[in-house]
């Protein structure tokens, strides 16, 4: 640790969320010297996933409002006469309204660790905002938890999957297919048939409905080729359009909420058809739903890109605070940063995640908010033979002005929760605090655990063991111009958005990368160092199998065409 | 034909103790005095026989992320074994070994096989860490321990043989990866169709 950071780079990236990490990887890959820092002790920023003890420290950080002012040497005196400084924020202000609820001691889950109690009691005394009914939790079990701050899924033909494959970063991660699409209708949770096999096997649909649905979905797959069939409805909403089609109300509901994943008012006919087509297009690539979830949680993905950046020489430094950006008065460009040790680090480009800017910089920025809830429950919202189901459920908004709530239920095989429990993530665009937005849905789907076991009575709803609510800033839709006085070589990355997929992060990363490195290829597949050194490697008995050139490599320059995929272990 | 078992092995230890050199010696039987801090080569494989099986080691390098103590937890995921390296001529590197073990316990899989390598044993005349200390520590944490020299090719094979022996036999019930998906370009073809 005696090591000092080098003092000159091409690109300094501040924040390790998904867009920043992709850009860091892309820049490093194309030969830029990258310094990637995060003031936090973990990777991912608001894209992180936490074990339970990790979450407790996170809670502590966001509940105790004491400014953790580490003794930093003042930077003001390091600013020269012909320079100005843009001070960065020392505290993350993107998380609000954090509330934690524990529902009773549950023998089976052994919630008994002293420090958890101690911590929770401290919070209880200090912060009335934190209301805890009972503290209960054993680290041995709970550290298996990987609690995503944002939960997203990967569309199997979405931009992120394409990028993971193209860049070969996919080798660092493993995924599970989402197994079910669910709908919540008339107080009941039911499975939505969406693949051909599902439709035919469905017991809840009549023969007539099956034919109707197949016909409609087949049309959606190629709707662009039949403009005459929807042209007349372009002016109305998708909801109204569905009513004009030969579909029962049942089917209209499924298509609107669970397949197009939109609402009565949000989408036009074209948007709805496009969303439906996209959904159908993603079916069947990896399984019979369009979605994948990364093992160990969403927080793995930024780390995978960071590794790629490091492999190509990027330097990583967590717990590293950047105090300010130094701007040259004459050129108006940013030329350096000053870190927590007062060290001046020179660079050509500076990429800063939104949450690092101070209030001065963001005074004109209007942010949206995301409402989040994370629950631990004792059974699935829809019980089936297998207890290893991963489900997504959309609960439509009940009142105007509110937003649909997306529910993702993870089972233990996703490596995010312990066996016998489920980790449930709820997400919606905020209209109020997270708890006000989401508690009604939680109450519809779950029942709080109580000590009294109701004997001989079938408990219909899953029981709630633990719940966390919080609001997160959504900086995804902020125009760069709304930040005050940013030099042209300072680029802004946003935090997570509310959408289900990751397209926004990838688009943002690619656009910013093109500004930093114009005309460079975005994350091309890396060459295989092993193959460069060992020509005609005899240690690889399976070489003949892997010599098939993967599709994604077909556009790579000729010299790399004979390189095998480096870390393609199971080929 | 023997079954090939893939085993992820992660390397840990301070910058400059010779992590990459050990792998380079093991995989390529090659030593480079001027090896630059790990760039570009983050992953090497070598297959060795072990009983009725072939063990294919997938060896992950830290890619330099250890330098400022910023290793990502994903680095440890799914590792069957970890090689924790110190430099026998640097007492400090042995002290920090314990910190790496702690981090491994925190982020690594539960039943990970640990192997400690005291590297640079060719320089034993300027040794700072007695073998006895390493042995006692290894015993306390249930790790394999060996002194190695990547430079002179001493005990490198033995280190990995030691790991191989500690790997529990394959549980027939856990055969296959129960629906876990690795993304590969070739999966484009899609096995199922809607």
């Amino acid at each position: 640790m005696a090591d000092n950071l080098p003092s000159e780079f091409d690109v300094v990236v501040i924040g390790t969320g998904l867009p920043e990490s992709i850009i860091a990887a892309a820049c490093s890959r194309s030969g830029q010297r990258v310094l990637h820092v995060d003031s936090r002790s973990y990777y991912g920023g608001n894209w992180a996933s936490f074990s339970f003890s990790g979450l407790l420290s996170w809670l502590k950080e966001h509940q105790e409002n004491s400014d953790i002012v580490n003794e930093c040497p003042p930077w003001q005196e390091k600013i020269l006469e012909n320079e100005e400084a843009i001070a960065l924020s020392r505290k993350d202000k993107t998380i609000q309204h954090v509330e934690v609820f524990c529902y009773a001691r549950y023998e089976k889950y052994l919630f008994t660790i002293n420090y958890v109690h101690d911590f929770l009691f401290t919070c209880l005394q200090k912060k009335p905002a934190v209301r805890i009914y009972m503290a209960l939790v054993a680290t041995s079990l709970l550290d298996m938890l990987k609690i995503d701050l944002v939960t997203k899924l990967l569309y199997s033909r979405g931009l992120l999957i394409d990028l993971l494959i193209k860049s070969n970063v996919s080798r660092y991660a493993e995924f599970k297919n989402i197994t079910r699409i669910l709908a919540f209708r008339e107080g009941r949770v039911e499975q939505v048939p969406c693949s051909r096999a599902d439709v035919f096997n469905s017991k809840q649909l009549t023969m007539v409905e099956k034919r109707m649905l197949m016909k409609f979905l087949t049309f959606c797959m190629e709707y662009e080729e039949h403009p005459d069939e929807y042209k007349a409805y372009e002016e109305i909403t998708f909801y109204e359009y569905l009513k004009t089609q030969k579909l029962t109300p049942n089917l209209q509901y499924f298509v609107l909420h669970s397949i197009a994943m939109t609402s009565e008012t949000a989408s036009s006919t074209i948007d709805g058809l496009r969303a439906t087509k996209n959904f159908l297009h993603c079916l069947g690539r990896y399984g019979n739903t369009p979605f994948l979830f990364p093992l160990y949680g969403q927080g793995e993905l930024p780390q995978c890109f960071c590794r790629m950046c490091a492999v190509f020489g990027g330097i990583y430094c967590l717990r590293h605070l950047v105090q300010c950006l130094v701007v040259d008065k004459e050129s108006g460009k940013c030329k350096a940063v000053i870190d927590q040790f007062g060290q001046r680090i020179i660079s050509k480009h500076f990429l800063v995640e939104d949450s690092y800017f101070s209030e001065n910089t963001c005074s004109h920025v209007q942010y949206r908010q995301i409402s989040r809830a994370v629950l631990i429950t004792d059974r699935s919202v829809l019980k089936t033979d297998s207890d290893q189901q991963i489900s997504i459920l959309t609960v439509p908004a009940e009142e105007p002005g509110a937003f649909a709530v997306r529910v993702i239920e993870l089972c233990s095989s996703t490596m995010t929760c312990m066996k016998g429990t489920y980790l449930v993530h709820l997400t919606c665009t905020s209209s109020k605090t997270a708890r006000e937005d989401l508690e009604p849905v939680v109450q519809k789907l779950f029942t709080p655990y109580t000590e009294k076991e109701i004997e001989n009575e079938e408990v219909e709803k899953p029981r709630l063991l633990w719940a966390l609510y919080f609001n997160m800033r959504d900086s995804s839709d902020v125009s760069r111009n709304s930040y005050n006085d940013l030099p042209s070589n300072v680029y802004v990355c946003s935090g997570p958005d509310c959408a289900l997929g990751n397209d926004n992060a990838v688009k943002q990363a690619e656009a910013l990368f093109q500004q930093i490195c114009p005309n460079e290829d975005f994350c091309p597949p890396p060459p295989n160092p092993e193959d460069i050194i060992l020509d005609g490697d005899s240690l690889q008995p399976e070489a003949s199998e892997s010599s098939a050139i993967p599709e994604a490599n077909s556009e790579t320059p000729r010299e790399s065409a004979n390189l095998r995929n480096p870390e393609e272990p199971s080929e | 034909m023997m079954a090939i078992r893939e085993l992820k092995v992660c390397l840990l230890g301070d910058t400059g103790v010779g992590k990459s050199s050990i792998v380079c010696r093991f995989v390529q039987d090659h030593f480079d005095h001027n090896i630059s801090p790990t760039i570009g080569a983050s992953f090497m494989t070598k297959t060795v026989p072990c009983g009725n099986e072939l063990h294919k080691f997938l060896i992950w390098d830290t890619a330099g992320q250890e330098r400022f103590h910023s290793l990502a937890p994903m680095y440890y995921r799914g590792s069957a074994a970890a090689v924790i390296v110190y430099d026998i001529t640097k007492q400090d590197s042995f002290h920090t070994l314990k910190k790496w073990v702690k981090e491994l316990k925190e982020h690594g899989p539960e039943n990970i096989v640990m192997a400690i390598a005291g590297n640079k044993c060719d320089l034993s005349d300027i040794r700072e860490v007695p073998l006895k200390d390493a042995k006692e520590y290894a015993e306390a944490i249930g790790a394999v321990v060996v002194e190695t020299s990547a430079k002179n090719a001493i005990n490198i094979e033995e280190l990995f043989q030691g790991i191989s022996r500690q790997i529990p036999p394959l549980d027939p019930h856990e055969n296959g990866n129960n629906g876990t998906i690795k993304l590969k370009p070739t999966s484009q073809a899609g096995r199922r169709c809607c």
Side-chain angles (χ1 to χ4, degrees), chain A residues 245-266:
Chain A
Q245 297 298 300
K246 272 197 183 146
L247 295 167
T248 59
N250 207 5
L251 297 177
Q252 290 171 25
Y253 185 95
F254 284 162
V255 173
L256 183 70
H257 297 290
S258 306
I259 295 182
M261 297 195 176
T262 178
S263 71
E264 281 82 354
T265 52

Side-chain angles (χ1 to χ4, degrees), chain B residues 33-175:
Chain B
H33 282 275
N34 303 315
I35 193 165
S36 57
T38 322
I39 287 184
S42 59
F43 184 98
M44 298 217 201
T45 66
K46 179 165 176 171
T47 308
V48 293
C50 175
N52 299 327
E53 296 174 335
L54 284 173
H55 282 175
K56 180 173 181 183
F57 289 111
L58 315 175
I59 308 164
W60 288 46
D61 208 319
T62 56
Q65 282 180 308
E66 84 287 8
R67 192 165 151 207
F68 298 102
H69 296 265
S70 304
L71 262 182
M74 58 85 46
Y75 179 66
Y76 306 97
R77 306 269 188 246
S79 296
V83 177
I84 315 150
V85 186
Y86 70 95
D87 175 347
I88 67 155
T89 69
K90 291 209 172 71
Q91 187 67 49
D92 275 358
S93 72
F94 185 67
H95 277 306
T96 44
L97 186 83
K98 295 169 188 176
K99 211 193 59 221
W100 291 114
V101 170
K102 187 170 163 269
E103 198 162 314
L104 194 61
K105 292 237 159 101
E106 205 173 305
H107 298 294
E110 247 176 89
N111 300 316
I112 192 165
V113 172
M114 291 187 284
I116 295 174
N119 198 30
K120 308 195 187 177
C121 71
D122 51 293
L123 301 174
S124 61
D125 44 333
I126 52 167
R127 167 196 293 277
E128 287 184 7
V129 184
L131 180 57
K132 187 170 141 284
D133 291 8
K135 281 199 163 152
E136 280 173 9
Y137 180 65
E139 198 172 325
I141 61 163
V144 177
V145 63
V146 70
E147 284 195 348
T148 57
S149 164
K151 189 174 165 221
N152 295 350
I154 299 168
N155 278 343
I156 303 290
E157 297 279 338
E158 288 76 1
L159 173 68
F160 285 89
Q161 282 163 10
I163 292 172
S164 264
R165 280 195 295 272
Q166 297 287 313
I167 299 285
L170 201 58
D171 180 353
H173 299 292
E174 294 214 355
N175 210 354

Side-chain angles (χ1 to χ4, degrees), chain A residues 43 175-176 196 311 569-570, chain B residues 6 40 43 70 178 181 184 194:
Chain A
Y43 280 94
F175 297 85
K176 283 275 183 191
R196 188 184 291 268
V311 164
S570 49
Chain B
E6 294 186 344
F43 184 98
S70 304
N178 55 47
I181 296 167
K184 287 182 196 159
C194 69

